[in-house]
Amino acid sequence: MKLLINGQARQVSSGTLDKLLSELEYEGDWLATALNGELVRAVERSQCRLTDGDRVEILTPRQGG
């Protein structure tokens, strides 16, 4: 299916948000996610089904100065 991930169109095979993170090789409890503008908590990601055209935001902390 085709999703808009962090503003970029991507073709993916995952059907849930937690599987999408694995497919894209995101790891860690420190990630923040949103689906179509709504925050999705880590405990809800396995229940969060994706559909064609969804907008997904994946936020990661950055370090530096």
Side-chain angles (χ1 to χ4, degrees), residues 22-65:
S22 293
E23 181 178 340
L24 299 178
E25 300 181 354
Y26 282 95
E27 296 178 3
D29 293 334
W30 35 265
L31 296 170
T33 55
L35 178 64
N36 298 323
E38 297 291 326
L39 181 66
V40 179
R41 297 177 1 183
V43 296
E44 298 170 336
R45 291 177 188 153
S46 64
Q47 311 298 316
C48 185
R49 296 210 166 273
L50 302 172
T51 59
D52 197 49
D54 278 344
R55 289 179 297 117
V56 177
E57 298 294 330
I58 303 168
L59 304 173
T60 61
R62 290 187 176 215
Q63 294 182 340

